[in-house]
Amino acid sequence: MNIKNNNAQLYEILKLKLKDFDKNNTLVIDGDKLKKHRIQNRTLVKESELIRIIKHLNPKNCQMSESGFPFLKDIISVDIKVSVYRDMTTGIINFNGTNYKRLLSSSGNVRNKKVIFINEDLYDKVNKILLCGMPEDMEFDIFAKFSAYYALVNTDSNPVTMPKMVVVDDYVHSITEKFDLVKEIEKDKYVVENNVEYTTKTKPFDGAGLVDISLAKKWVKKLKLDYIPSAFQFRAIPGLKGNLYTFDIKAFAKERGRTKIVDIWGKEWDIEKDGINCILTKSQFKFYKKFNSFQDWLDSFNEVIYGYRRTFNISKVADKVSDLPRRKPLSYQPLQSLELDEEKIKKLCADTVEAIKRISTDVDSFLEYRGLLADEENRYESNSIDVPEYYKALKKNKDLFYDDWIQKKVQADIKNYKERTYRGGILVEGNYQTFIPDIYGLAEYAFGLPVKGLLDKDQVYSNYWLNKGVKVIDIIRYPHIAMEHKISEVVSPAKMQYYKYITEGIVTNLYDSTALKLNGADFDNDKVLTTSNKILIAAARKNMGNTIVYIPMEKDGDGKEVERYKINNMERLIKTDVDGMSNSIGEVVNKITKLWSLPQTEKVKDYIKIM
């Protein structure tokens, strides 16, 4: 969830289209039209550390606009026409006489074909702050990763108390089970070997770290929360990211008689003497190779540049368990991979049919559907974003439900809802929760103990489902492409006190391929849909295939040095953006959907696995 702070600052920035610029990448708007243009071409963004940096460097260019929001003049969000962007070698556009330079494009920006440009006068200063002591002309091999990590500063966030951290290496674990292997034998040529016993390596704590309860409580106060979240998603310059799971680190250390932790640079830390209250894994520190020690990074991080002091930031926190809806809609993808007869389909759809009847005839049910009434037992999916004012008026005067104009709005809303159900959006018991590793096992690993965890193969822990008396759930993660249903047993393990603060989330075990099966999920805030629907569980048990493992062909040159580029190579950065913008997972998924529409022979199933 986004942090619950009703006072979260929104900023107005310009949103332009690159196709509007001329061949010299210049866009000039007549002064009389500029105000109208800005109002029509503005977007609101939440505060990020990037915004805090720019405000600090040039506060006079952040003034209250006529719309009531601070208008940040030094950055522009540009919608990119890829064919035009491809030829922009300098990365500079000119808007009304001011040059703006390509600063960043996050993974989300790339998916939506957007690029953030900054006033060229600020570029060097902002870049120096973001690099945090790393050379401005350093070389990097995989530019897409560099761009994504560099752009993390643009994530919505709130600064909190700086943790006293130690960064441990990633734990690599081998699991052996039956897999379906997709092997590349030539370029674009594959073979499938099904039901093969195979050993593969996993990183069961990828993207995950621990925050001690003592520090978590300070963050709760700073973020103005009324509960202790299971997880805090964090961001810090440069390229530190992931989830920190709330855990009593000090109690664990005392029970196991351990206080020493060795970091990725080989330095030994004592959690008592050094006051350690946070454990990060190497997977969360993307540029760790660029620093000689933790202190080397910390000194760079704490150095005040142009009067700016970098901050440790929280971008999201896990939901409050009482806020979780009881039901959520599926999509067509998890359904297309199951064999369901007409009777099962009717039973599966019955709850949705009844829900549509209720919201069509009962004003309270409709308001509930729109998220305007709280009913913990019968709550629909959260549908409270951008609630129109006329529905808020309906809540105050329910007689308006019979007004012709309101009824037209209600019927249009219900029609849209029905159309979503036709595409597989049927309601099932369940909700989205945070995907969590066995944090007890993570603590064992950090302190150099044998890594065992608290859960066995095919087991999960879920406070939510245990409180409902549910013993078996189906775990689903999107995009659901082949047969990624994962049926797991919900258990209450020994040493439950170490899951005390995991009130929301699905905690998985170390011993099976759950994360790999769910399209290579990791633990940096991935969400999974879990359901107790017996029809889905039974059908998934019957149809459920093995986890698919892709084995690429060994190529000449494997192991040799990869070509590297300097990070100030603007032409290469733009090419990286363009390559990412040219990809579309939707195209692949659509082709797989067509394969699912065919009779499911072994050959068709193998093609689905290859896709």
Side-chain angles (χ1 to χ4, degrees):
M1 63 165 284
N2 290 322
I3 295 166
K4 288 186 175 179
N5 182 351
N6 294 329
N7 299 315
Q9 183 65 67
L10 293 174
Y11 292 82
E12 180 183 322
I13 65 172
L14 276 177
K15 180 180 179 182
L16 304 176
K17 295 182 179 179
L18 188 59
K19 67 178 183 179
D20 294 336
F21 289 75
D22 64 21
K23 63 181 180 180
N24 296 315
N25 296 320
T26 297
L27 176 60
V28 177
I29 298 177
D30 181 87
D32 293 336
K33 297 180 180 177
L34 181 59
K35 181 177 177 181
K36 181 179 180 182
H37 182 276
R38 180 159 60 80
I39 292 172
Q40 292 177 341
N41 294 274
R42 69 179 178 88
T43 186
L44 292 176
V45 296
K46 292 182 180 179
E47 186 173 85
S48 64
E49 185 164 13
L50 176 62
I51 286 177
R52 293 191 286 272
I53 292 169
I54 294 171
K55 277 176 56 184
H56 170 81
L57 293 175
N58 196 13
K60 66 181 177 61
N61 260 7
C62 183
Q63 301 295 328
M64 195 65 67
S65 73
E66 61 278 1
S67 56
F69 296 98
F71 175 46
L72 200 62
K73 297 180 181 179
D74 286 318
I75 57 172
I76 300 177
S77 174
V78 181
D79 287 350
I80 296 294
K81 186 176 181 180
V82 174
S83 60
V84 178
Y85 186 43
R86 183 180 286 115
D87 298 327
M88 182 191 287
T89 57
T90 64
I92 293 176
I93 58 176
N94 184 285
F95 176 65
N96 269 20
T98 300
N99 280 344
Y100 291 83
K101 188 173 181 178
R102 178 219 178 267
L103 179 67
L104 56 83
S105 187
S106 67
S107 299
N109 293 148
V110 168
R111 282 194 297 272
N112 293 295
K113 296 180 174 56
K114 296 180 188 299
V115 178
I116 302 300
F117 285 74
I118 187 170
N119 188 326
E120 190 178 23
D121 291 342
L122 294 181
Y123 180 88
D124 289 340
K125 290 182 178 180
V126 171
N127 187 46
K128 188 169 185 178
I129 292 171
L130 299 191
L131 289 176
C132 193
M134 297 187 296
E136 295 176 14
D137 62 348
M138 75 174 182
E139 293 184 337
F140 210 81
D141 47 5
I142 305 175
F143 254 43
K145 288 188 175 182
F146 168 76
S147 282
Y149 303 154
Y150 181 89
L152 291 170
V153 70
N154 201 33
T155 305
D156 312 339
S157 66
N158 288 260
V160 293
T161 303
M162 181 74 174
K164 293 186 177 179
M165 299 179 284
V166 59
V167 185
V168 300
D169 206 345
D170 289 331
Y171 174 58
V172 179
H173 181 60
S174 294
I175 55 173
T176 301
E177 61 182 64
K178 292 289 181 70
F179 292 98
D180 292 341
L181 306 180
V182 176
K183 296 183 176 180
E184 182 184 17
I185 55 174
E186 295 177 22
K187 181 175 172 56
D188 296 329
K189 188 173 182 180
Y190 308 88
V191 295
V192 180
E193 296 179 10
N194 291 307
N195 204 36
V196 177
E197 187 170 281
Y198 182 77
T199 299
T200 189
K201 292 181 178 179
T202 65
K203 291 183 179 178
F205 311 124
D206 192 14
L210 301 175
V211 57
D212 188 72
I213 180 61
S214 60
L215 180 57
K217 288 179 178 178
K218 292 181 181 179
W219 289 351
V220 163
K221 187 175 181 180
K222 177 72 173 178
L223 298 172
K224 301 179 182 179
L225 300 172
D226 61 358
Y227 69 105
I228 299 173
S230 302
F232 299 82
Q233 187 185 57
F234 76 96
R235 298 286 187 265
I237 294 171
L240 276 73
K241 62 165 288 192
N243 261 20
L244 295 170
Y245 295 97
T246 307
F247 189 80
D248 198 333
I249 297 174
K250 294 173 184 177
F252 176 90
K254 184 176 181 180
E255 180 194 319
R256 302 300 295 268
R258 294 290 184 107
T259 62
K260 303 292 197 311
I261 298 177
V262 178
D263 73 14
I264 53 177
W265 294 278
K267 176 178 170 59
E268 184 177 82
W269 300 78
D270 187 297
I271 67 161
E272 294 179 357
K273 293 179 181 177
D274 296 312
I276 301 299
N277 53 21
C278 185
I279 300 172
L280 270 60
T281 52
K282 185 171 73 176
S283 61
Q284 298 179 304
F285 198 143
K286 302 305 183 182
F287 294 120
Y288 79 94
K289 290 182 180 179
K290 304 298 180 182
F291 299 92
N292 297 319
S293 65
F294 181 81
Q295 193 63 46
D296 185 24
W297 167 76
L298 189 61
D299 289 344
S300 296
F301 183 86
N302 286 334
E303 183 182 5
V304 178
I305 303 291
Y306 308 114
Y308 183 80
R309 186 179 295 279
R310 300 174 186 89
T311 56
F312 190 91
N313 311 299
I314 301 300
S315 54
K316 293 180 182 177
V317 298
D319 287 310
K320 189 175 183 178
V321 69
S322 60
D323 288 341
L324 294 174
R326 184 172 66 85
R327 294 178 293 186
K328 269 290 183 181
L330 291 174
S331 78
Y332 71 90
Q333 293 172 333
L335 296 171
Q336 71 181 0
S337 57
L338 301 177
E339 294 179 8
L340 299 165
D341 59 30
E342 188 173 348
E343 181 182 355
K344 289 186 175 65
I345 291 171
K346 285 182 178 179
K347 288 182 179 179
L348 197 57
C349 295
D351 196 25
T352 306
V353 172
E354 287 303 311
I356 292 172
K357 287 180 181 177
R358 284 196 299 272
I359 66 175
S360 300
T361 57
D362 179 70
V363 62
D364 286 334
S365 295
F366 181 80
L367 291 170
E368 212 177 282
Y369 158 67
R370 287 307 315 234
L372 286 164
L373 292 182
D375 184 336
E376 297 301 325
E377 290 301 312
N378 296 296
R379 182 146 26 121
Y380 292 75
E381 58 171 309
S382 178
N383 200 18
S384 57
I385 298 174
D386 297 328
V387 175
E389 292 298 323
Y390 46 81
Y391 285 154
K392 295 177 182 178
L394 176 61
K395 179 183 177 181
K396 292 184 177 181
N397 181 2
K398 295 177 184 178
D399 289 339
L400 290 174
F401 193 63
Y402 307 102
D403 177 83
D404 289 342
W405 190 86
I406 291 288
Q407 263 300 307
K408 287 180 181 178
K409 297 294 183 181
V410 169
Q411 292 305 318
D413 210 333
I414 293 172
K415 181 182 177 182
N416 289 334
Y417 180 33
K418 286 180 180 178
E419 288 175 352
R420 294 199 299 275
T421 68
Y422 301 155
R423 297 190 294 269
I426 58 173
L427 290 170
V428 292
E429 293 285 328
N431 46 54
Y432 287 94
Q433 294 189 49
T434 309
F435 192 54
I436 303 177
D438 190 329
I439 54 176
Y440 188 85
L442 175 51
E444 289 176 319
Y445 174 66
F447 283 95
L449 296 163
V451 182
K452 297 180 180 179
L454 296 179
L455 299 167
D456 291 329
K457 183 179 180 181
D458 297 321
Q459 290 183 344
V460 297
Y461 168 76
S462 168
N463 170 61
Y464 176 87
W465 288 114
L466 278 177
N467 286 337
K468 288 187 172 294
V470 171
K471 296 182 178 180
V472 179
I473 56 172
D474 183 8
I475 309 176
I476 298 167
R477 178 172 174 261
Y478 294 101
H480 182 107
I481 297 169
M483 175 48 79
E484 292 93 354
H485 292 273
K486 173 58 182 169
I487 308 302
S488 294
E489 178 188 7
V490 183
V491 299
S492 178
K495 298 189 177 181
M496 273 286 294
Q497 69 269 27
Y498 289 106
Y499 289 155
K500 177 180 178 181
Y501 303 106
I502 308 300
T503 52
E504 183 268 3
I506 306 299
V507 181
T508 58
N509 67 80
L510 300 165
Y511 300 105
D512 63 37
S513 60
T514 297
L516 186 60
K517 188 176 187 66
L518 298 174
N519 284 306
D522 56 25
F523 302 99
D524 68 352
N525 208 45
D526 282 358
K527 301 292 183 181
V528 292
L529 172 64
T530 55
T531 177
S532 60
N533 187 281
K534 293 181 179 179
I535 295 172
L536 288 180
I537 290 172
R541 281 193 190 281
K542 182 179 178 182
N543 294 12
M544 189 167 58
N546 298 312
T547 299
I548 302 167
V549 173
Y550 170 60
I551 303 176
M553 174 181 61
E554 289 188 12
K555 300 175 183 177
D556 292 338
D558 278 1
K560 293 184 180 179
E561 180 121 5
V562 179
E563 189 171 8
R564 303 166 75 85
Y565 300 90
K566 291 185 176 182
I567 61 170
N568 57 0
N569 185 333
M570 184 60 70
E571 190 171 348
R572 190 69 193 181
L573 287 168
I574 290 173
K575 183 182 184 303
T576 300
D577 293 343
V578 168
D579 289 345
M581 292 171 183
S582 301
N583 294 329
S584 174
I585 192 172
E587 291 183 13
V588 177
V589 173
N590 289 342
K591 290 175 181 176
I592 294 175
T593 298
K594 293 177 182 177
L595 288 174
W596 277 110
S597 68
L598 301 174
Q600 291 300 294
T601 63
E602 290 304 312
K603 187 175 183 179
V604 170
K605 289 178 181 178
D606 285 349
Y607 276 124
I608 290 171
K609 292 167 188 174
I610 290 169
M611 291 291 290

